[in-house]
Amino acid sequence: MFSSSEVFAVQILLHSSVYGPSLLLSSVLPDQAWLDHHSRSLGFFIDGKFVHLAERRSLSVLDSKGGQVCGVLCAEEADVSQCAASAVSAFKSWSLLSCYQRAKVLLRSVQRRSTELLRVDRSSHDLPVLFFVVFFYRGLRRSDTPSLSSFPGVVAVVTSDDSSVYSLMLKVVPALAMGNAVIVVPGRSVAPPALLLAQLFSGAGLPAGVLNVLTGSDVTLGVNVAQNPSICYVTYSGSKPDGLALVQASAGMGVPVSVSPCVGATCPFIIFESADINSAVDEVIEAAFKKKSEVHWVLCVQESVCDNVVDRLKLRLAGLKCVSLQSEADRSLVDTAVQEAQQQGATLIQSCSAPPSGPLYPPTVLCGAAPASPCVVSPAPGPLLPLMTFRCHKEAVAVGNHSPHGLAASIWTEDLTLALETAKNLSVGSVWVNSHSVVDPCLPVCAHKDGGSCTDGGQEGLYQFLRPSVSSLPIRSSAVPLDYSKFGTEESPAVIPDPASSPPSYLQFVGGKACKSVSGCSVAVQSPGGGGGVLGLCPEGGRKDVRNAVEAALKVQPGWQKKTPSARALSLHALVKGVEAKRQDLATSLHTQTGVSMDEAEKEVELSITRLALWAAYCDKVQGGSLPMPKSGSALSFPEALGVVGVVLPDESPLLSMVTLLGAAIASGNAVVMVPSQKHPLPTIAFIQVLQSSDLPAGLVNVVTGRRDQLTVALANHSVIRSIWYWGSAEGCRYLQYTCTRPLKTLRLVSQEGQDEGVDWTQASPSFLEDLWRNAVQWKSVWIPTA
């Protein structure tokens, strides 16, 4: 049973989080009685109980006014090992429970206190949002994801100091629901609520060791946890700098790391002339100044109503008090941002004059801020609201897409057609129409562009905690020293073909045309087994070839994405016919390149035809739809293409693996830049003939040949490429994980050194194909209130 202090503490925590991520968890601290019960010194939560170690260093948790709330311990390597051992032991029993048994435990964690939660939440008939997170995911089972039913094992959930309860729960609860054991590594100020939640789950019957909490000083503890060989997956939520540090520090360890940098993003608040101006202004004041928000809002107003909006802003700002900043350093940053904005022509609207010094600053609107102004691109941590104008719908979309983050947007208009068209064209993961900061566990949260590498929330949020049933876990290894600046620069030994043999010269495929490389150099294609014979010469592509291919892909990808799914399916079916027409040539290239018999080569061609036809069927079969919302309103969720995808192809089954990956990418609306297997490039080069005769838009599929490492570097350093699928060396995997952080790319990394990911390319496993499709899309949710 729970003590009265624990019940009261969780009531405060849950009720304070009704607004979801708009309220920082650092302001949601357990009540005094609960802290006093623990002597205001919180230990680790391992194996279902608190562990207090006197010899561990202690850190203070401060409230918003700088007062000390409690102390938390700093975990060391021995604590990480103990925690991981407990999680591994608990995972074995927890994962064997039926879905119904796990659901009962999760639901019991909040169901016993539903009456108290309803009594606290007097504003509506709904339970608090955190209750719905547990309630939603307790009902999703492995049967809801039939083809992706294997468990990773022990999952590490890492958060920063400024993360929210909602962001934490969107990762912890689905991980538990899918049968994983979880180790939470919260930021310092997030630690008390995380420890309280772990205690409450344990008290509700969660087996000891299934949910553990380790505390520390910074993200370094998350890196130490990721290094433990028992950890199968690491997922992060919080500020972007800490997330990128975690990704780079764990590069080369063989553990997948996903990042949701939900803190500090810049989000547009768009007001059209057809909006209810009074409501829009009230809500932007609420979002920007009255709530402690994880995001920075940028107000975008149509020129025809700008004066009206500014007048109403002045009325609403009058009387607002100064906002407390976290430190004097933040005050300095705010002063600098305001001065730079004024120098660039912005004018100020303030509720009162700014104090000459101190960590206080009045709510401020920066009218006429330039899109390139620092207050828009990298806002200071203070109550600043930049205001920009636009003339038409296209300009509104352009201004809204100016931010590199792609997290969310708020659209205000009474024209539903205009709202939906704008929502479709904005490169953001969440769109709120005539509302803002609405959260619900059935809505997927998937930031676009440079905003993250995973999806949280909704049924889509389950898949990061699953893997295809046909795959094995990545091989864990210690990070081998790697000079990132020299990767891909080593010259391969030149192979001089015998002039008498006259090996044929092949071309690559860029922008719909067969061409030589920009450098004019070639690399030799070795005969099967590396016996010394040269089968031909391929262009040695480099950075400029990749640049040209990406430019061609970028031109046609938006149009390809806008095509109806049935139109894309017809183009893929036409591609299937092209493969059938070139069946003999493709089989010969496989036989010549790999040394397999003609019968086996013909069989691989036949499987490739079947696989492409399967992807054509996928085009119009897997789509989003409306979501059941407990609140008044409607919600839509649908997948969108990533953009331009770079694919470094595997050595095994060179034709079949190529069409499998190509089909997954273009069926979902992406454009592709492919790098053929350095060992077996001829089947992909032979496939160029099929592409030339197809009706695919020129530039949608590009093939750049050459040395794998050199082209991998070119793909990694191109800012437009949104995702990279890589089959190659362990060093290449580590290089990509370390490098693809600015901007942040989604990665699918497979080391071919003693591991083939358990994939038999000849088998059309539904789990593997669905996993590929989900790697090729990003999700968007649109919330439309009805009242």
Side-chain angles (χ1 to χ4, degrees), residues 407-462:
L407 179 61
S410 178
I411 300 173
W412 289 79
T413 175
E414 298 297 320
D415 186 341
L416 183 58
T417 301
L418 175 63
L420 293 177
E421 184 66 21
T422 306
K424 182 179 179 181
N425 293 324
L426 286 173
S427 297
V428 298
S430 300
V431 180
W432 300 296
V433 178
N434 296 330
S435 55
H436 69 89
S437 305
V438 177
V439 295
D440 190 274
C442 73
L443 286 174
V445 180
C446 176
H448 293 194
K449 297 188 289 188
D450 192 24
S453 58
C454 70
T455 300
D456 298 320
Q459 186 169 336
E460 293 75 21
L462 297 174

Side-chain angles (χ1 to χ4, degrees), residues 707-720:
R707 292 186 294 118
R708 183 181 62 200
D709 290 350
Q710 179 181 349
L711 294 174
T712 297
V713 172
L715 293 172
N717 288 287
H718 202 294
S719 61
V720 172

Side-chain angles (χ1 to χ4, degrees), residues 450-478:
D450 192 24
S453 58
C454 70
T455 300
D456 298 320
Q459 186 169 336
E460 293 75 21
L462 297 174
Y463 287 90
Q464 62 177 309
F465 303 108
L466 300 171
R467 68 177 188 274
S469 55
V470 297
S471 70
S472 57
L473 288 173
I475 298 176
R476 294 300 305 269
S477 60
S478 300

Side-chain angles (χ1 to χ4, degrees), residues 48-348:
K49 59 182 180 294
F50 279 96
V51 176
H52 297 268
L53 300 174
E55 63 272 18
R56 296 293 182 263
R57 184 165 62 97
S58 179
L59 296 172
S60 297
V61 177
L62 306 179
D63 59 21
S64 59
K65 298 181 179 180
Q68 182 173 346
V69 176
C70 63
V72 294
L73 301 182
C74 290
E76 298 180 357
E77 186 173 350
D79 307 313
V80 173
S81 299
Q82 179 187 357
C83 187
S86 173
V88 169
S89 177
F91 164 72
K92 295 176 182 178
S93 58
W94 177 246
S95 61
L96 293 177
L97 293 179
S98 68
C99 299
Y100 171 69
Q101 290 172 317
R102 290 201 301 271
K104 284 200 305 181
V105 173
L106 293 177
L107 186 58
R108 193 185 305 133
S109 65
V110 291
Q111 193 175 40
R112 289 180 177 178
R113 302 302 165 189
S114 60
T115 303
E116 288 86 349
L117 295 176
L118 280 170
R119 189 177 298 122
V120 170
D121 186 23
R122 302 176 186 274
S123 60
S124 69
H125 298 292
D126 300 327
L127 293 179
V129 173
L130 290 185
F131 177 87
F132 270 113
V133 174
V134 179
F135 192 82
F136 178 78
Y137 282 112
R138 72 87 179 87
L140 290 177
R141 310 169 301 277
R142 282 183 292 172
S143 59
D144 296 302
T145 56
S147 59
L148 289 163
S149 56
S150 299
F151 303 121
V154 181
V155 174
V157 177
V158 185
T159 70
S160 63
D161 277 3
D162 42 11
S163 185
S164 67
V165 178
Y166 185 71
S167 299
L168 176 68
M169 295 289 279
L170 275 187
K171 292 184 179 293
V172 171
V173 177
L176 294 174
M178 291 297 100
N180 302 284
V182 178
I183 299 176
V184 178
V185 184
R188 187 191 311 183
S189 60
V190 185
L195 289 165
L196 171 61
L197 287 171
Q199 182 180 1
L200 292 171
F201 271 101
S202 179
L206 191 70
V210 173
L211 180 58
N212 306 274
V213 180
L214 288 177
T215 56
S217 58
D218 52 31
V219 76
T220 304
L221 178 58
V223 177
N224 294 337
V225 172
Q227 290 176 339
N228 190 283
S230 300
I231 304 300
C232 300
Y233 176 62
V234 179
T235 181
Y236 169 87
S237 178
S239 64
K240 188 173 182 180
D242 285 348
L244 299 186
L246 175 64
V247 171
Q248 292 184 330
S250 57
M253 296 179 185
V255 58
V257 180
S258 68
V259 177
S260 301
C262 56
V263 177
T266 302
C267 302
F269 196 105
I270 303 173
I271 301 178
F272 286 99
E273 61 183 1
S274 55
D276 180 346
I277 303 299
N278 284 332
S279 298
V281 171
D282 287 344
E283 292 302 314
V284 75
I285 293 293
E286 177 79 12
F289 303 130
K290 293 185 178 181
K291 286 185 179 178
K292 206 167 186 179
S293 177
E294 291 181 334
V295 302
H296 300 282
W297 291 99
V298 175
L299 181 58
C300 308
V301 182
Q302 196 159 6
E303 283 186 356
S304 57
V305 293
C306 183
D307 292 341
N308 190 9
V309 170
V310 169
D311 291 340
R312 294 177 186 275
L313 282 171
K314 292 178 181 178
L315 290 175
R316 300 297 191 274
L317 284 176
L320 290 184
K321 297 180 180 180
C322 290
V323 177
S324 297
L325 305 177
Q326 292 186 353
S327 64
E328 290 280 358
D330 287 350
R331 171 61 190 269
S332 177
L333 293 175
V334 169
D335 287 336
T336 301
V338 171
Q339 291 173 6
E340 290 180 350
Q342 288 181 301
Q343 291 172 359
Q344 295 176 358
T347 58
L348 304 185

Side-chain angles (χ1 to χ4, degrees), residues 774-787:
R774 290 187 176 276
N775 273 263
V777 299
Q778 55 190 357
W779 290 87
K780 175 179 287 186
S781 59
V782 180
W783 163 259
I784 307 170
T786 56

